[in-house]
Amino acid sequence: MSLHGKRKEIYKYEAPWTVYAMNWSVRPDKRFRLALGSFVEEYNNKVQLVGLEEESSEFVCRNTFDHPYPTTKIMWIPDTKGVYPDLLATSGDYLRIWRVNDTETRLECLLNNNKNSDFCAPLTSFDWNEVDPNLLGTSSIDTTCTIWGLETGQVLGRINLVSGHVKTQLIAHDKEVYDIAFSRAGGGRDMFASVGADGSVRMFDLRHLEHSTIIYEDPQHHPLLRLCWNKQDPNYLATMAMDGMEVVILDVRVPCTPVARLNNHRACVNGIAWAPHSSCHICTAVADDHQALIWDIQQMPRAIEDPILAYTAEGEINNVQWASTQPDWIAICYNNCLEILRV
């Protein structure tokens, strides 16, 4: 789909509810498709799949389905070649895998790692491994991370069934775990990091789970909410603290000492997204400021004073996502709106 003829720089979609979780589809045949999760403070929530219509250059809702509780995160399967089934995962009370068809979205499997009880510890986040899409990792308020194996099983009739099993579960932090992300280092399958309420960033290797490495600890022990690996250079990652007005950039080769702090924010940071195509650009989203900022961190470890680009939205930005297969587009959501911006 070529939108370049139209030269529109911003496309906007208004959902019927506050948008919190949001993710770009990476399939080559579904370029301007995103999934949006509602944030309604009750049991009944929704997920919408929206796409940009080439003719009208408007976003249209292709599909809406029910979801228990708000989704803490949504991700499309990281399948850039389109060889796997068209799957979507959501986290909330459990990890759910959904199959997307043209007309409907169907729940394929619900993954619960508490086999011995009906009790579930809510999932704060998850990540889907890009190198091996049969691996997912979840983070939970019960201090654990769980690595799941997916099977997209035999084709029965026209349908391949999807199921999942626990590969490993580990106590990752002393308190709640708020985010998890696989690293591209060492082959991209075995290493992941997590952040949590204890204020630490920890790194794990699935081949050596008997120990973990502390990459960083917040000096005031403030909870760390988000963690984001640089997409081009696996040595770098970014994190942010609860109610923090800065983003800390870390180099795993130099633990515990940030290589940069992006602290020219006038309000607390709500989201982080690295550029998919460049190791030195990162976007941060600020809540009360309504701003999405793009920074060039090339001159690290010299201080980085100002962003190179700023966009002001009409509300507090809840989430920012840089499209991995279309690096000139960034999506933000605020209030009940999704906007995609050409950068």
Side-chain angles (χ1 to χ4, degrees):
M1 178 190 278
S2 167
L3 293 162
H4 289 270
K6 311 262 192 327
R7 291 312 301 163
K8 256 177 93 167
E9 305 295 318
I10 299 173
Y11 295 85
K12 183 174 178 178
Y13 174 76
E14 292 188 38
W17 20 254
T18 301
V19 180
Y20 174 66
M22 172 262 289
N23 189 241
W24 289 91
S25 167
V26 297
R27 281 178 78 93
D29 55 336
K30 308 273 190 200
R31 282 187 62 207
F32 286 85
R33 179 175 70 162
L34 295 99
L36 309 176
S38 67
F39 186 83
V40 184
E41 292 191 43
E42 55 182 62
Y43 179 79
N44 294 316
N45 273 263
K46 302 277 185 194
V47 172
Q48 279 193 348
L49 309 183
V50 302
L52 203 53
E53 285 290 338
E54 197 170 358
E55 285 69 44
S56 62
S57 356
E58 300 283 329
F59 269 113
V60 292
C61 175
R62 302 258 164 83
N63 207 307
T64 302
F65 58 94
D66 293 323
H67 193 280
Y69 304 106
T71 50
T72 51
K73 188 169 180 178
I74 293 183
M75 269 187 93
W76 295 90
I77 184 167
D79 173 20
T80 50
K81 297 190 173 72
V83 294
Y84 287 84
D86 197 7
L87 300 178
L88 181 74
T90 58
S91 54
D93 49 352
Y94 301 107
L95 181 66
R96 290 176 174 83
I97 310 291
W98 308 82
R99 178 189 296 267
V100 178
N101 296 320
D102 291 341
T103 51
E104 55 155 16
T105 301
R106 196 178 69 239
L107 180 64
E108 281 287 312
C109 59
L110 181 149
L111 303 176
N112 172 17
N113 55 2
N114 294 53
K115 286 286 172 274
N116 50 2
S117 74
D118 295 333
F119 166 80
C120 70
L123 301 176
T124 49
S125 185
F126 72 96
D127 193 23
W128 206 325
N129 192 296
E130 290 180 8
V131 172
D132 181 357
N134 293 313
L135 282 180
L136 294 96
T138 55
S139 56
S140 170
I141 63 168
D142 68 5
T143 77
T144 69
C145 288
T146 304
I147 305 298
W148 296 89
L150 269 197
E151 288 86 35
T152 45
Q154 296 304 310
V155 178
L156 291 177
R158 298 289 304 282
I159 299 165
N160 14 7
L161 306 171
V162 177
S163 60
H165 67 279
V166 174
K167 284 182 97 70
T168 186
Q169 182 177 16
L170 57 129
I171 294 172
H173 287 261
D174 305 329
K175 295 179 179 171
E176 297 93 331
V177 191
Y178 288 139
D179 203 5
I180 180 173
F182 287 104
S183 161
R184 289 190 175 182
R189 283 186 85 257
D190 298 295
M191 295 169 68
F192 66 93
S194 60
V195 291
D198 59 11
S200 69
V201 180
R202 300 190 184 199
M203 194 149 162
F204 300 87
D205 187 328
L206 290 172
R207 297 160 296 192
H208 307 287
L209 283 174
E210 60 282 359
H211 58 84
S212 64
T213 310
I214 293 182
I215 305 286
Y216 176 70
E217 288 185 289
D218 184 84
Q220 279 81 45
H221 299 288
H222 289 159
L224 298 176
L225 295 186
R226 287 282 166 264
L227 152 82
C228 208
W229 287 100
N230 187 305
K231 301 280 185 240
Q232 292 293 326
D233 186 335
N235 291 309
Y236 293 105
L237 64 123
T239 185
M240 64 194 211
M242 186 182 282
D243 302 326
M245 290 170 66
E246 67 175 12
V247 169
V248 175
I249 303 208
L250 306 167
D251 181 338
V252 294
R253 298 163 297 189
V254 192
C256 302
T257 314
V259 280
R261 293 177 185 276
L262 309 178
N263 47 19
N264 204 347
H265 299 100
R266 293 192 293 271
C268 69
V269 180
N270 259 1
I272 319 169
W274 287 96
H277 59 309
S278 152
S279 61
C280 53
H281 291 94
I282 187 169
C283 182
T284 61
V286 191
D288 303 347
D289 228 10
H290 300 187
Q291 283 200 316
L293 306 172
I294 294 179
W295 307 77
D296 182 345
I297 58 167
Q298 216 163 347
Q299 61 198 39
M300 291 190 310
R302 294 210 306 280
I304 290 130
E305 302 293 338
D306 291 305
I308 55 169
L309 218 93
Y311 173 75
T312 304
E314 291 164 24
E316 290 192 16
I317 300 175
N318 294 326
N319 201 332
V320 57
Q321 299 269 323
W322 204 318
S324 59
T325 51
Q326 302 162 103
D328 42 355
W329 291 93
I330 286 179
I332 58 169
C333 50
Y334 59 89
N335 305 336
N336 67 324
C337 298
L338 159 76
E339 282 186 348
I340 64 168
L341 320 169
R342 188 205 297 271
V343 291

